[in-house]
Amino acid sequence: MKSGQAISPELREWVAAQLAAGHSVPSLRASMRAAGWHDDAADAALQGIEMQAAAGVAVEPPSARMPGPDLSVSPLYVDAGDRRVQVLQTMQLPRVIVFGDLLSDDECEGLIAAARQRLARSLTVETQTGGEALNVDRTSDGMFFERGENAIVAQLERRIAALLRWPVEFGEGLQVLRYAPGAQYRPHYDYFDPGEPGTPTILRRGGQRVATLVMYLHEPEQGGATSFPDVGLEVAPKRGTGVFFSYDRPDPATRTLHGGAPVLAGEKWVATKWLREREFT
């Protein structure tokens, strides 16, 4: 790759704008080569776009605004309104932030108690139809809270909105999952594949997912880490902490492939908040 030239969001916006103007992917690759970009850099910038274009899927520029805390001065703590949250670890690509002391023990216990009575085998979004279905890659039990369903959920949603600077209304309902020994969720992406036939139906409810926050409510004795295999990162499921990651386009180039490693002993409970581009209805 040409020295000093990163594949930035601005470059991808330029690529998307040129495609929208009617230029072909091969012509863009030729233009980048003429401007001094090496082949591997051009391929990285165009990754995923050529496949979408061939499938007739509209390619739109990534959103300039993304959820996330202000870390411009490398703070050790971030004000989340009603709580001071620790910044334990950060990564740029993928954009990952590990938060400490995000939930109190009482909040963790309260969410588990409220969720326990409604657990069922976890479903995943079915992008073929836009509905939900069982997935052999996901072996947890789970349930969803409606936004603001009870006092703990409403308080946590306000805290997340303040921490990540993203409106409460742009969030899906909070999902709580229980992983028994042996349960896992194999590596996957959280965004909705633009090439799948059910995706337009899903996007009507609030646009694409742009970020995920996984919060650990109960830690297992062994196993259960959240892994990012593309970058060799594992986040230990410590109670009260959370791992946030964002993805500015529905593309593997975001490197947000992630999974829940098998629980080897004990139980793992997590709460997940997915954030959309706009109000989720």
Side-chain angles (χ1 to χ4, degrees):
M1 185 178 296
K2 188 173 179 179
S3 176
Q5 290 186 329
I7 308 304
S8 65
E10 291 76 16
L11 176 60
R12 291 188 183 276
E13 288 178 10
W14 175 83
V15 168
Q18 299 307 304
L19 286 171
H23 299 288
S24 68
V25 171
S27 70
L28 293 183
R29 184 175 281 108
S31 295
M32 292 185 70
R33 286 173 179 164
W37 290 85
H38 292 181
D39 287 347
D40 55 357
D43 290 342
L46 296 168
Q47 184 176 4
I49 291 177
E50 191 165 19
M51 184 181 301
Q52 292 179 39
V57 177
V59 180
E60 298 182 2
S63 172
R65 180 171 173 263
M66 291 289 293
D70 181 5
L71 302 184
S72 58
V73 295
S74 302
L76 297 179
Y77 299 90
V78 177
D79 182 10
D82 66 336
R83 195 172 186 86
R84 193 173 74 149
V85 176
Q86 300 171 332
V87 179
L88 300 179
Q89 184 178 10
T90 65
M91 179 176 285
Q92 290 300 319
L93 185 63
R95 185 53 174 156
V96 176
I97 304 169
V98 181
F99 294 113
D101 200 24
L102 179 56
L103 295 88
S104 69
D105 287 346
D106 286 345
E107 289 170 332
C108 292
E109 287 298 330
L111 286 173
I112 290 173
R116 189 183 295 275
Q117 306 170 41
R118 291 158 53 184
L119 291 179
R121 173 69 187 273
S122 298
L123 303 177
T124 57
V125 174
E126 175 53 71
T127 53
Q128 288 290 319
T129 64
E132 293 182 319
L134 288 174
N135 187 332
V136 295
D137 291 335
R138 190 178 207 180
T139 52
S140 59
D141 296 318
M143 55 79 65
F144 274 93
F145 288 109
E146 296 291 333
R147 277 202 311 257
E149 179 173 326
N150 60 44
I152 296 177
V153 169
Q155 181 177 8
L156 182 55
E157 288 173 336
R158 289 192 296 269
R159 184 180 306 155
I160 293 170
L163 176 66
L164 301 179
R165 301 182 296 171
W166 209 246
V168 169
E169 295 77 17
F170 287 24
E172 297 181 25
L174 192 69
Q175 184 188 52
V176 174
L177 297 175
R178 169 188 173 269
Y179 290 84
Q184 64 178 312
Y185 194 1
R186 292 186 176 88
H188 60 282
Y189 298 100
D190 280 355
Y191 57 74
F192 305 116
D193 186 341
E196 293 289 348
T199 295
T201 299
I202 297 168
L203 299 186
R204 291 193 197 108
R205 298 191 65 190
Q208 266 289 357
R209 285 177 176 168
V210 291
T212 303
L213 176 63
V214 178
M215 298 162 280
Y216 306 109
L217 307 180
H218 185 276
E219 56 197 58
E221 297 169 25
Q222 296 178 27
T226 300
S227 64
F228 294 82
D230 285 350
V231 293
L233 174 65
E234 287 194 351
V235 179
K238 179 172 174 54
R239 185 182 199 179
T241 67
V243 57
F244 165 80
F245 52 99
S246 59
Y247 25 98
D248 62 1
R249 67 191 67 86
D251 193 301
T254 59
R255 305 181 80 180
T256 52
L257 185 71
H258 66 286
V263 171
L264 303 179
E267 289 185 346
K268 179 179 77 169
W269 288 75
V270 302
T272 303
K273 171 65 77 171
W274 287 288
L275 304 180
R276 296 287 192 104
E277 292 177 298
R278 53 184 183 269
E279 183 175 358
F280 179 74
T281 59

